[in-house]
């Protein structure tokens, strides 16, 4: 998982993101990217999402449950069901998790770009150990690296 993304991640709160920004600012960083993807939950491709879920989940029953959740559809005001071919149900209990899984592709891409831009792993490790810890967790002492 990357420190680059804070939404729907375990042990990540808005307060942690602000603390991270302050830490990076004290180390000379001057830019923060805050992005929102318009209609993210509505546009998640079911095939791509299921491919990503299959990478980690091998139990066919769980996969069938996730697929059913995605294809559950929408109930109209007249009580009719409209099927869905993309997106996750807004307000559904799995929607934040499924969005996080779908967006992990973007997370991986950004981390890969960052990693290739800051030299070798050995160089990054050397720099990481020179960063002082500010009373927080070790995560705050590792700027923009994968945890």
């Amino acid at each position: 998982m990357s420190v680059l993304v804070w939404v729907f991640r375990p042990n990540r709160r808005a307060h942690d993101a602000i603390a991270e920004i302050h830490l990076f600012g004290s180390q000379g960083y001057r830019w923060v990217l805050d992005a929102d993807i318009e209609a993210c939950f509505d546009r998640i491709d079911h095939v791509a999402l299921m491919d990503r879920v299959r990478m980690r989940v091998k139990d066919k029953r769980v996969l069938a449950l996730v697929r059913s959740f995605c294809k559950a559809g929408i109930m109209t005001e007249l009580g009719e069901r409209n099927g869905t071919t993309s997106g996750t149900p807004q307000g559904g209990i799995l929607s934040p998790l499924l969005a996080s899984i779908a967006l992990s592709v973007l997370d991986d891409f950004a981390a890969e770009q960052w990693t290739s831009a800051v030299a070798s792993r050995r160089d990054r490790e050397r720099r990481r150990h020179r960063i002082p810890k500010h009373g927080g967790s070790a995560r705050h002492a590792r700027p923009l690296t994968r945890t």
Side-chain angles (χ1 to χ4, degrees):
M1 184 182 327
S2 172
V3 176
L4 297 169
V5 177
W6 286 85
V7 69
F8 301 125
R9 297 298 200 254
N11 302 314
R12 301 280 171 96
R13 310 172 302 148
H15 290 89
D16 295 329
I18 292 168
E20 197 90 351
I21 290 167
H22 284 287
L23 174 67
F24 291 156
S26 70
Q27 295 173 353
Y29 290 88
R30 297 292 170 239
W31 291 89
V32 173
L33 173 63
D34 180 18
D36 186 18
I37 300 173
E38 182 180 344
C40 174
F41 288 95
D42 298 337
R43 296 182 179 161
I44 293 175
D45 180 80
H46 290 170
V47 174
L49 174 64
M50 290 307 298
D51 288 345
R52 195 78 176 167
V53 171
R54 261 188 232 96
M55 292 171 67
R56 299 281 307 259
V57 176
K58 302 302 179 205
D59 188 327
K60 292 186 188 299
R61 294 171 297 176
V62 173
L63 294 171
L65 184 62
V66 171
R67 189 179 310 103
S68 296
F69 182 82
C70 288
K71 301 209 179 286
I74 299 168
M75 186 71 72
T76 68
E77 293 175 3
L78 301 174
E80 298 170 353
R81 182 184 167 280
N82 288 342
T84 55
T85 57
S86 66
T88 63
Q90 289 245 300
I93 58 171
L94 282 183
S95 291
L97 175 64
L98 295 176
S100 185
I101 290 168
L103 292 174
S104 66
V105 175
L106 179 60
D107 190 21
D108 292 345
F109 174 77
E112 182 182 311
Q113 297 304 306
W114 175 260
T115 301
S116 65
V118 280
S120 72
R121 179 185 175 123
R122 186 171 156 221
D123 291 340
R124 289 191 311 277
E125 289 292 327
R126 203 171 330 122
R127 282 194 297 270
R128 182 182 299 154
H129 291 297
R130 286 196 313 244
I131 297 169
K133 292 183 182 176
H134 296 288
S137 68
R139 177 183 62 205
H140 294 292
R142 293 187 222 124
L144 299 179
T145 59
R146 294 182 68 90
T147 57

